[in-house]
Short mmCIF file of all heavy atoms in Angstrom, two decimals:
data_model
loop_
_atom_site.label_atom_id
_atom_site.label_comp_id
_atom_site.label_asym_id
_atom_site.label_seq_id
_atom_site.Cartn_x
_atom_site.Cartn_y
_atom_site.Cartn_z
N ASP A 1 -13.56 -1.59 80.54
CA ASP A 1 -13.24 -0.51 81.47
C ASP A 1 -11.94 0.20 81.12
O ASP A 1 -11.90 1.42 80.93
CB ASP A 1 -13.16 -1.04 82.91
CG ASP A 1 -14.49 -1.58 83.40
OD1 ASP A 1 -15.53 -0.97 83.11
OD2 ASP A 1 -14.49 -2.63 84.09
N THR A 2 -10.86 -0.58 81.05
CA THR A 2 -9.55 0.06 80.86
C THR A 2 -9.35 0.57 79.44
O THR A 2 -8.52 1.47 79.22
CB THR A 2 -8.41 -0.89 81.25
OG1 THR A 2 -8.51 -2.11 80.50
CG2 THR A 2 -8.48 -1.22 82.73
N SER A 3 -10.10 0.05 78.48
CA SER A 3 -10.00 0.55 77.11
C SER A 3 -10.43 2.01 77.02
O SER A 3 -9.83 2.80 76.28
CB SER A 3 -10.85 -0.30 76.16
OG SER A 3 -10.31 -1.60 76.03
N ILE A 4 -11.47 2.36 77.74
CA ILE A 4 -11.95 3.75 77.67
C ILE A 4 -11.25 4.65 78.68
O ILE A 4 -11.30 5.88 78.55
CB ILE A 4 -13.48 3.84 77.85
CG1 ILE A 4 -13.90 3.52 79.28
CG2 ILE A 4 -14.20 2.94 76.85
CD1 ILE A 4 -15.36 3.84 79.56
N ILE A 5 -10.58 4.07 79.65
CA ILE A 5 -9.94 4.90 80.67
C ILE A 5 -8.74 5.66 80.10
O ILE A 5 -8.48 6.80 80.51
CB ILE A 5 -9.52 4.04 81.88
CG1 ILE A 5 -10.76 3.73 82.74
CG2 ILE A 5 -8.48 4.76 82.74
CD1 ILE A 5 -10.48 2.81 83.91
N ILE A 6 -8.01 5.08 79.14
CA ILE A 6 -6.84 5.79 78.60
C ILE A 6 -7.24 7.14 78.01
O ILE A 6 -6.70 8.17 78.44
CB ILE A 6 -6.10 4.91 77.57
CG1 ILE A 6 -5.47 3.70 78.26
CG2 ILE A 6 -5.01 5.74 76.87
CD1 ILE A 6 -4.78 2.74 77.31
N PRO A 7 -8.17 7.20 77.07
CA PRO A 7 -8.55 8.53 76.57
C PRO A 7 -9.23 9.39 77.62
O PRO A 7 -9.07 10.63 77.61
CB PRO A 7 -9.51 8.21 75.40
CG PRO A 7 -9.98 6.82 75.63
CD PRO A 7 -8.84 6.12 76.31
N TRP A 8 -9.96 8.77 78.55
CA TRP A 8 -10.60 9.55 79.60
C TRP A 8 -9.56 10.24 80.48
O TRP A 8 -9.72 11.42 80.84
CB TRP A 8 -11.50 8.64 80.44
CG TRP A 8 -12.22 9.35 81.54
CD1 TRP A 8 -13.44 9.97 81.47
CD2 TRP A 8 -11.77 9.54 82.89
NE1 TRP A 8 -13.77 10.53 82.67
CE2 TRP A 8 -12.76 10.29 83.57
CE3 TRP A 8 -10.63 9.16 83.60
CZ2 TRP A 8 -12.64 10.64 84.91
CZ3 TRP A 8 -10.51 9.52 84.93
CH2 TRP A 8 -11.51 10.26 85.57
N LEU A 9 -8.49 9.54 80.82
CA LEU A 9 -7.42 10.15 81.61
C LEU A 9 -6.80 11.34 80.88
O LEU A 9 -6.56 12.39 81.47
CB LEU A 9 -6.35 9.11 81.94
CG LEU A 9 -6.66 8.09 83.04
CD1 LEU A 9 -5.60 7.00 83.06
CD2 LEU A 9 -6.75 8.76 84.40
N LYS A 10 -6.53 11.15 79.62
CA LYS A 10 -5.88 12.22 78.85
C LYS A 10 -6.81 13.42 78.71
O LYS A 10 -6.35 14.57 78.74
CB LYS A 10 -5.44 11.68 77.49
CG LYS A 10 -4.40 10.57 77.60
CD LYS A 10 -3.90 10.10 76.26
CE LYS A 10 -2.90 11.05 75.66
NZ LYS A 10 -1.64 11.11 76.41
N GLU A 11 -8.12 13.17 78.60
CA GLU A 11 -9.08 14.27 78.49
C GLU A 11 -9.20 15.05 79.79
O GLU A 11 -9.36 16.27 79.79
CB GLU A 11 -10.46 13.72 78.13
CG GLU A 11 -10.61 13.26 76.70
CD GLU A 11 -11.98 12.66 76.44
OE1 GLU A 11 -12.79 12.56 77.40
OE2 GLU A 11 -12.25 12.28 75.29
N ASN A 12 -9.12 14.36 80.91
CA ASN A 12 -9.44 14.99 82.19
C ASN A 12 -8.23 15.33 83.06
O ASN A 12 -8.38 15.99 84.09
CB ASN A 12 -10.38 14.07 82.98
CG ASN A 12 -11.76 14.00 82.35
OD1 ASN A 12 -12.58 14.89 82.53
ND2 ASN A 12 -12.02 12.94 81.59
N TYR A 13 -7.05 14.89 82.67
CA TYR A 13 -5.84 15.21 83.43
C TYR A 13 -4.80 15.87 82.52
O TYR A 13 -3.63 15.46 82.49
CB TYR A 13 -5.28 13.94 84.09
CG TYR A 13 -6.10 13.48 85.28
CD1 TYR A 13 -7.17 12.63 85.09
CD2 TYR A 13 -5.82 13.92 86.57
CE1 TYR A 13 -7.95 12.21 86.16
CE2 TYR A 13 -6.59 13.51 87.65
CZ TYR A 13 -7.65 12.66 87.44
OH TYR A 13 -8.42 12.25 88.51
N ASN A 14 -5.24 16.87 81.77
CA ASN A 14 -4.34 17.74 81.00
C ASN A 14 -3.41 16.95 80.08
O ASN A 14 -2.20 17.20 80.03
CB ASN A 14 -3.52 18.63 81.94
CG ASN A 14 -4.40 19.56 82.75
OD1 ASN A 14 -5.34 20.14 82.22
ND2 ASN A 14 -4.12 19.67 84.05
N ASN A 15 -3.98 15.99 79.37
CA ASN A 15 -3.22 15.20 78.40
C ASN A 15 -2.00 14.53 79.05
O ASN A 15 -0.90 14.50 78.48
CB ASN A 15 -2.78 16.06 77.22
CG ASN A 15 -2.40 15.23 76.01
OD1 ASN A 15 -2.98 14.18 75.76
ND2 ASN A 15 -1.40 15.69 75.26
N CYS A 16 -2.20 14.00 80.23
CA CYS A 16 -1.11 13.35 80.96
C CYS A 16 -0.59 12.13 80.20
O CYS A 16 -1.30 11.55 79.37
CB CYS A 16 -1.58 12.92 82.35
SG CYS A 16 -2.86 11.65 82.32
N GLU A 17 0.64 11.75 80.48
CA GLU A 17 1.18 10.52 79.91
C GLU A 17 0.54 9.33 80.63
O GLU A 17 0.45 9.30 81.86
CB GLU A 17 2.70 10.46 80.08
CG GLU A 17 3.31 9.18 79.50
CD GLU A 17 4.80 9.07 79.73
OE1 GLU A 17 5.39 9.98 80.35
OE2 GLU A 17 5.38 8.05 79.31
N VAL A 18 0.11 8.35 79.85
CA VAL A 18 -0.48 7.13 80.42
C VAL A 18 0.39 5.94 80.04
O VAL A 18 0.58 5.65 78.85
CB VAL A 18 -1.93 6.91 79.92
CG1 VAL A 18 -2.49 5.62 80.53
CG2 VAL A 18 -2.81 8.10 80.28
N ILE A 19 0.92 5.28 81.04
CA ILE A 19 1.71 4.07 80.84
C ILE A 19 0.84 2.88 81.26
O ILE A 19 0.40 2.79 82.42
CB ILE A 19 3.00 4.09 81.67
CG1 ILE A 19 3.88 5.26 81.23
CG2 ILE A 19 3.75 2.77 81.55
CD1 ILE A 19 5.07 5.50 82.15
N ALA A 20 0.56 1.99 80.33
CA ALA A 20 -0.31 0.85 80.61
C ALA A 20 0.54 -0.34 81.07
O ALA A 20 1.63 -0.57 80.55
CB ALA A 20 -1.11 0.48 79.37
N VAL A 21 0.01 -1.07 82.05
CA VAL A 21 0.69 -2.26 82.56
C VAL A 21 -0.31 -3.40 82.61
O VAL A 21 -1.38 -3.29 83.20
CB VAL A 21 1.27 -2.04 83.97
CG1 VAL A 21 1.95 -3.32 84.47
CG2 VAL A 21 2.25 -0.88 83.97
N SER A 22 0.05 -4.50 81.98
CA SER A 22 -0.77 -5.70 82.01
C SER A 22 0.03 -6.84 82.62
O SER A 22 1.15 -7.12 82.18
CB SER A 22 -1.23 -6.08 80.60
OG SER A 22 -2.05 -7.22 80.62
N GLY A 23 -0.53 -7.47 83.63
CA GLY A 23 0.12 -8.62 84.25
C GLY A 23 -0.37 -9.89 83.60
O GLY A 23 -1.57 -10.19 83.62
N ASP A 24 0.55 -10.66 83.01
CA ASP A 24 0.19 -11.92 82.38
C ASP A 24 0.11 -13.00 83.46
O ASP A 24 1.11 -13.54 83.90
CB ASP A 24 1.22 -12.30 81.32
CG ASP A 24 0.88 -13.61 80.61
OD1 ASP A 24 -0.15 -14.23 80.94
OD2 ASP A 24 1.68 -14.02 79.74
N VAL A 25 -1.12 -13.31 83.85
CA VAL A 25 -1.36 -14.38 84.82
C VAL A 25 -2.11 -15.54 84.17
O VAL A 25 -2.84 -16.27 84.81
CB VAL A 25 -2.13 -13.87 86.06
CG1 VAL A 25 -1.22 -13.03 86.95
CG2 VAL A 25 -3.37 -13.08 85.65
N GLY A 26 -1.91 -15.65 82.85
CA GLY A 26 -2.49 -16.78 82.14
C GLY A 26 -3.75 -16.47 81.37
O GLY A 26 -4.57 -17.37 81.14
N GLN A 27 -3.91 -15.21 80.94
CA GLN A 27 -5.10 -14.85 80.17
C GLN A 27 -5.10 -15.42 78.75
O GLN A 27 -6.11 -15.41 78.07
CB GLN A 27 -5.25 -13.33 80.08
CG GLN A 27 -5.36 -12.60 81.39
CD GLN A 27 -4.01 -12.09 81.89
OE1 GLN A 27 -3.04 -12.83 81.93
NE2 GLN A 27 -3.95 -10.83 82.26
N GLY A 28 -3.94 -15.86 78.29
CA GLY A 28 -3.85 -16.46 76.97
C GLY A 28 -4.05 -15.45 75.86
O GLY A 28 -3.42 -14.40 75.81
N THR A 29 -4.99 -15.76 74.95
CA THR A 29 -5.19 -14.94 73.75
C THR A 29 -5.74 -13.55 74.06
O THR A 29 -5.74 -12.69 73.18
CB THR A 29 -6.14 -15.64 72.77
OG1 THR A 29 -7.39 -15.91 73.42
CG2 THR A 29 -5.54 -16.96 72.28
N GLU A 30 -6.21 -13.32 75.29
CA GLU A 30 -6.70 -11.99 75.65
C GLU A 30 -5.60 -10.94 75.54
O GLU A 30 -5.88 -9.74 75.42
CB GLU A 30 -7.28 -11.99 77.06
CG GLU A 30 -8.60 -12.72 77.19
CD GLU A 30 -9.24 -12.54 78.55
OE1 GLU A 30 -8.68 -11.78 79.37
OE2 GLU A 30 -10.28 -13.15 78.80
N LEU A 31 -4.34 -11.37 75.58
CA LEU A 31 -3.21 -10.44 75.48
C LEU A 31 -2.82 -10.13 74.04
O LEU A 31 -2.02 -9.23 73.80
CB LEU A 31 -2.00 -11.01 76.24
CG LEU A 31 -2.20 -11.24 77.74
CD1 LEU A 31 -0.99 -11.96 78.33
CD2 LEU A 31 -2.44 -9.93 78.46
N ASP A 32 -3.39 -10.88 73.09
CA ASP A 32 -3.04 -10.67 71.68
C ASP A 32 -3.48 -9.28 71.23
O ASP A 32 -4.62 -8.86 71.45
CB ASP A 32 -3.72 -11.72 70.80
CG ASP A 32 -3.20 -13.13 71.05
OD1 ASP A 32 -2.17 -13.26 71.73
OD2 ASP A 32 -3.83 -14.09 70.56
N GLY A 33 -2.57 -8.56 70.58
CA GLY A 33 -2.88 -7.23 70.05
C GLY A 33 -3.03 -6.15 71.10
O GLY A 33 -3.45 -5.03 70.78
N LEU A 34 -2.65 -6.46 72.33
CA LEU A 34 -2.88 -5.52 73.43
C LEU A 34 -2.02 -4.27 73.31
O LEU A 34 -2.49 -3.15 73.56
CB LEU A 34 -2.62 -6.22 74.77
CG LEU A 34 -3.42 -5.73 75.98
CD1 LEU A 34 -4.91 -5.87 75.72
CD2 LEU A 34 -3.03 -6.52 77.22
N GLU A 35 -0.75 -4.44 72.91
CA GLU A 35 0.14 -3.29 72.81
C GLU A 35 -0.35 -2.31 71.75
O GLU A 35 -0.40 -1.09 71.99
CB GLU A 35 1.56 -3.75 72.49
CG GLU A 35 2.55 -2.58 72.44
CD GLU A 35 3.98 -3.05 72.25
OE1 GLU A 35 4.19 -4.21 71.87
OE2 GLU A 35 4.90 -2.24 72.50
N GLU A 36 -0.72 -2.83 70.59
CA GLU A 36 -1.22 -1.97 69.51
C GLU A 36 -2.46 -1.21 69.96
O GLU A 36 -2.59 0.00 69.71
CB GLU A 36 -1.54 -2.82 68.28
CG GLU A 36 -2.07 -2.01 67.11
CD GLU A 36 -2.47 -2.88 65.93
OE1 GLU A 36 -2.33 -4.12 66.04
OE2 GLU A 36 -2.92 -2.32 64.92
N LYS A 37 -3.36 -1.90 70.65
CA LYS A 37 -4.59 -1.26 71.10
C LYS A 37 -4.31 -0.17 72.13
O LYS A 37 -4.88 0.92 72.08
CB LYS A 37 -5.54 -2.30 71.69
CG LYS A 37 -6.87 -1.73 72.17
CD LYS A 37 -7.78 -2.83 72.68
CE LYS A 37 -9.11 -2.25 73.13
NZ LYS A 37 -10.04 -3.30 73.64
N ALA A 38 -3.42 -0.47 73.10
CA ALA A 38 -3.12 0.50 74.16
C ALA A 38 -2.52 1.78 73.57
O ALA A 38 -2.91 2.90 73.93
CB ALA A 38 -2.18 -0.12 75.18
N ILE A 39 -1.57 1.61 72.67
CA ILE A 39 -0.91 2.78 72.08
C ILE A 39 -1.86 3.55 71.17
O ILE A 39 -1.89 4.78 71.16
CB ILE A 39 0.36 2.33 71.33
CG1 ILE A 39 1.40 1.82 72.35
CG2 ILE A 39 0.94 3.47 70.50
CD1 ILE A 39 2.64 1.23 71.75
N LYS A 40 -2.68 2.83 70.42
CA LYS A 40 -3.63 3.49 69.52
C LYS A 40 -4.65 4.32 70.29
O LYS A 40 -5.13 5.35 69.79
CB LYS A 40 -4.35 2.43 68.67
CG LYS A 40 -5.23 3.01 67.57
CD LYS A 40 -5.82 1.91 66.70
CE LYS A 40 -4.74 1.24 65.87
NZ LYS A 40 -5.34 0.26 64.90
N THR A 41 -4.98 3.91 71.51
CA THR A 41 -5.96 4.66 72.30
C THR A 41 -5.32 5.72 73.19
O THR A 41 -6.01 6.39 73.95
CB THR A 41 -6.80 3.70 73.17
OG1 THR A 41 -5.94 2.85 73.94
CG2 THR A 41 -7.72 2.86 72.32
N GLY A 42 -3.97 5.86 73.11
CA GLY A 42 -3.35 6.99 73.78
C GLY A 42 -2.24 6.69 74.77
O GLY A 42 -1.62 7.62 75.29
N ALA A 43 -1.97 5.42 75.05
CA ALA A 43 -0.89 5.10 75.99
C ALA A 43 0.47 5.36 75.34
O ALA A 43 0.63 5.18 74.13
CB ALA A 43 -0.99 3.65 76.44
N SER A 44 1.44 5.75 76.15
CA SER A 44 2.79 5.98 75.62
C SER A 44 3.55 4.67 75.46
O SER A 44 4.43 4.55 74.61
CB SER A 44 3.57 6.92 76.54
OG SER A 44 3.75 6.34 77.82
N LYS A 45 3.21 3.69 76.26
CA LYS A 45 3.85 2.39 76.19
C LYS A 45 3.00 1.38 76.95
O LYS A 45 2.11 1.74 77.71
CB LYS A 45 5.28 2.41 76.76
CG LYS A 45 5.34 2.63 78.26
CD LYS A 45 6.76 2.53 78.80
CE LYS A 45 7.54 3.81 78.59
NZ LYS A 45 8.83 3.81 79.34
N LEU A 46 3.30 0.10 76.73
CA LEU A 46 2.62 -0.97 77.46
C LEU A 46 3.64 -1.96 77.98
O LEU A 46 4.48 -2.47 77.22
CB LEU A 46 1.62 -1.71 76.56
CG LEU A 46 1.02 -3.00 77.15
CD1 LEU A 46 0.10 -2.69 78.33
CD2 LEU A 46 0.27 -3.81 76.09
N TYR A 47 3.60 -2.20 79.28
CA TYR A 47 4.35 -3.30 79.87
C TYR A 47 3.45 -4.53 79.91
O TYR A 47 2.31 -4.45 80.39
CB TYR A 47 4.74 -2.99 81.32
CG TYR A 47 5.83 -1.97 81.54
CD1 TYR A 47 5.55 -0.61 81.60
CD2 TYR A 47 7.14 -2.39 81.75
CE1 TYR A 47 6.54 0.33 81.85
CE2 TYR A 47 8.15 -1.46 82.01
CZ TYR A 47 7.84 -0.11 82.06
OH TYR A 47 8.82 0.80 82.32
N ILE A 48 3.94 -5.66 79.41
CA ILE A 48 3.25 -6.94 79.62
C ILE A 48 4.20 -7.79 80.46
O ILE A 48 5.23 -8.26 79.97
CB ILE A 48 2.90 -7.65 78.31
CG1 ILE A 48 1.92 -6.80 77.49
CG2 ILE A 48 2.27 -9.02 78.60
CD1 ILE A 48 1.51 -7.42 76.17
#
């Protein structure tokens, strides 16, 4: 869901800035590579 939402937001809200926030509540390896992916898909930054 959230992987496609970043480009969708930029397409539909005049190329708005998207700041991604991920809460680490114990997802483990699911957080690996998350910053690179978020920025590559259009986010300006990622908070973990």
Side-chain angles (χ1 to χ4, degrees):
D1 296 320
T2 56
S3 292
I4 70 170
I5 283 176
I6 293 176
W8 181 88
L9 284 170
K10 297 183 78 67
E11 286 177 357
N12 291 280
Y13 286 88
N14 298 317
N15 199 34
C16 65
E17 180 184 0
V18 179
I19 298 171
V21 179
S22 181
D24 181 0
V25 286
Q27 301 94 311
T29 57
E30 288 188 4
L31 299 173
D32 293 348
L34 210 59
E35 183 175 16
E36 180 183 0
K37 181 178 181 180
I39 292 174
K40 188 176 291 186
T41 52
S44 63
K45 68 175 81 169
L46 170 68
Y47 287 86
I48 298 180

